[in-house]
Amino acid sequence: MTDAAALDDPQSTFSGTREVDPRYRLDEAALDAWMGANVAGYAGPLTVRQFKGGQSNPTYELTTPTAAYVLRRKPPGALLPSAHAVDREFTVISALHAQGFPVARPHALCTDEGVIGSMFYVMDKVEGRVLWDLKLPGMTPDQRRAIYDAQVDTLAALHHFEPEAIGLGDYGKPGNYFARQVGRWTKQYQASETHPIPDMDRLIAFLPQGLPPEGPTRIVHGDFRLDNMILAPDAPEVRAVLDWELSTLGDPMADFSYLLIAWAIPATLRNGLAGADLNALGIPSVEETVARYAEKTGAAPPTNLDWLFAYNLFRLAAICQGIAGRVRDGTAASAHARTMAAQVEPLAAGAWSFAKKAGA
């Protein structure tokens, strides 16, 4: 999911901040007052900029003379049911931060839409690298492998947590995870549908027929990938996992198989590895990645990757269709939203190709 500029130089396209989009301007005086009352140690004056990356919830850099914070908010306007759940993000990162898992330190949640126009929360800004191109240009093979190993190890660490043991027992419904997710994304897709897409209709009919065996209930991130992590500036260490909007309780294999679809997406895209010379790059193969995750978690390797890939690409298509709906409605949060919206049909076609391998 990219455009020409992002493909040429995704690191500069998506990294850093810009002036706040006029559609998402904040009442900075009201925010300053709220920060003073709710964030320990806060002292203005406050400077606000918007991050370039991020498609769903507008995200801002808040800087003062002595500290830097990040604000995540719901977009204003009409939204899909259950989408943009920044309150859930705040809940999960609060629980995980208390366990020492790499997330930004959360400060406070504001449910009063009168402050800046929608619900938001504030957390620390974590310094480090966000890597936007999976081929990791400019690095050595050893550096690439170490980063990929750290990515898998972090996901395995997340999936070790028993939700009830860390106060997240009611963060989602137990059981029937894939059936519920197929139903959820079918409804989200249909709520945002702009024109008929036959492959999506075929997937909606097929996916419920081949549901995988049920795994343990764990915290699933929902969008676990390299560019949703901050790495240390000079080491293969994950400092923070970002963007928990889609997190819930569910089957950890959903997260892991989502990570693996990068190996099925063409390497001509920044978020794809298919066709790349992985051995020369030093990037682990799918088989090596599966083996490492199994070693770290004790989980059996998946035997139904074709269905899992079809499901994940269907889900991505539904997410992009939601962005298409928001482009239509004028509430999309990113300059790259139109490009994202244009990916619905290619993603659906890719999903259907895996569905056919899975027996459709």
Side-chain angles (χ1 to χ4, degrees):
M1 290 176 285
T2 184
D3 56 22
L7 183 58
D8 290 340
D9 188 6
Q11 200 63 36
S12 63
T13 299
F14 296 110
S15 294
T17 62
R18 56 181 170 86
E19 293 293 326
V20 176
D21 185 317
R23 294 173 298 169
Y24 304 116
R25 283 191 183 131
L26 311 175
D27 183 334
E28 294 187 18
L31 177 60
D32 177 74
W34 182 89
M35 294 278 287
N38 292 278
V39 176
Y42 172 80
L46 180 66
T47 300
V48 180
R49 290 180 61 81
Q50 189 172 352
F51 284 99
K52 295 179 186 176
Q55 300 292 345
S56 184
N57 292 321
T59 305
Y60 305 79
E61 177 190 59
L62 312 179
T63 55
T64 72
T66 58
Y69 309 92
V70 171
L71 182 151
R72 292 262 289 173
R73 70 178 293 195
K74 278 192 174 189
L79 303 173
L80 290 173
S82 79
H84 313 284
V86 296
D87 50 338
R88 287 178 58 80
E89 286 192 13
F90 184 78
T91 295
V92 73
I93 68 171
S94 296
L96 290 171
H97 185 267
Q99 300 300 316
F101 185 80
V103 289
R105 179 163 69 105
H107 286 287
L109 170 71
C110 179
T111 59
D112 178 0
E113 296 187 357
V115 177
I116 65 167
S118 60
M119 184 188 301
F120 68 93
Y121 71 92
V122 171
M123 58 186 164
D124 273 349
K125 183 184 178 188
V126 177
E127 297 298 334
R129 298 174 290 166
V130 177
L131 303 172
W132 292 95
D133 188 333
L134 288 183
K135 277 77 73 181
L136 301 179
M139 296 189 187
T140 67
D142 285 347
Q143 288 172 326
R144 294 188 185 100
R145 180 169 289 270
I147 287 171
Y148 272 78
D149 286 348
Q151 175 182 233
V152 172
D153 293 354
T154 301
L155 184 60
L158 175 65
H159 292 163
H160 270 298
F161 292 116
E162 294 275 359
E164 288 191 4
I166 63 170
L168 291 174
D170 61 353
Y171 191 63
K173 297 177 182 177
N176 300 316
Y177 176 73
F178 282 108
R180 289 186 289 105
Q181 286 290 297
V182 170
R184 174 192 177 181
W185 292 110
T186 295
K187 290 177 183 174
Q188 296 279 51
Y189 166 74
Q190 291 171 338
S192 300
E193 190 173 10
T194 51
H195 64 280
I197 300 175
D199 283 338
M200 289 297 281
D201 295 334
R202 286 190 278 264
L203 288 159
I204 288 167
F206 166 73
L207 287 172
Q209 302 173 14
L211 298 169
E214 196 167 314
T217 296
R218 292 289 186 269
I219 302 152
V220 294
H221 178 275
D223 196 13
F224 193 90
R225 53 196 170 99
L226 191 61
D227 57 21
N228 271 336
M229 299 176 213
I230 298 175
L231 280 81
D234 54 2
E237 171 199 346
V238 178
R239 290 269 179 91
V241 179
L242 309 173
D243 196 358
W244 293 84
E245 180 197 345
L246 297 174
S247 63
T248 188
L249 301 188
D251 191 323
M253 197 50 62
D255 261 355
F256 183 55
S257 60
Y258 177 80
L259 181 68
L260 291 179
I261 62 169
W263 280 260
I265 293 173
T268 50
L269 302 179
R270 68 172 181 87
N271 52 1
L273 295 171
D277 188 340
L278 300 182
N279 190 54
L281 290 169
I283 294 173
S285 65
V286 167
E287 294 75 17
E288 289 173 307
T289 305
V290 167
R292 188 176 184 94
Y293 178 81
E295 175 193 352
K296 296 291 181 180
T297 62
T303 58
N304 51 353
L305 274 179
D306 288 329
W307 187 95
L308 289 165
F309 283 179
Y311 157 75
N312 277 293
L313 290 170
F314 165 78
R315 178 175 168 271
L316 277 176
I319 290 170
C320 287
Q321 186 62 47
I323 295 170
R326 286 171 39 236
V327 167
R328 175 196 61 203
D329 298 339
T331 60
S334 167
H336 309 287
R338 291 184 183 278
T339 300
M340 295 283 289
Q343 296 302 312
V344 178
E345 293 191 43
L347 285 166
W352 183 241
S353 71
F354 281 109
K356 289 188 287 187
K357 293 178 186 177

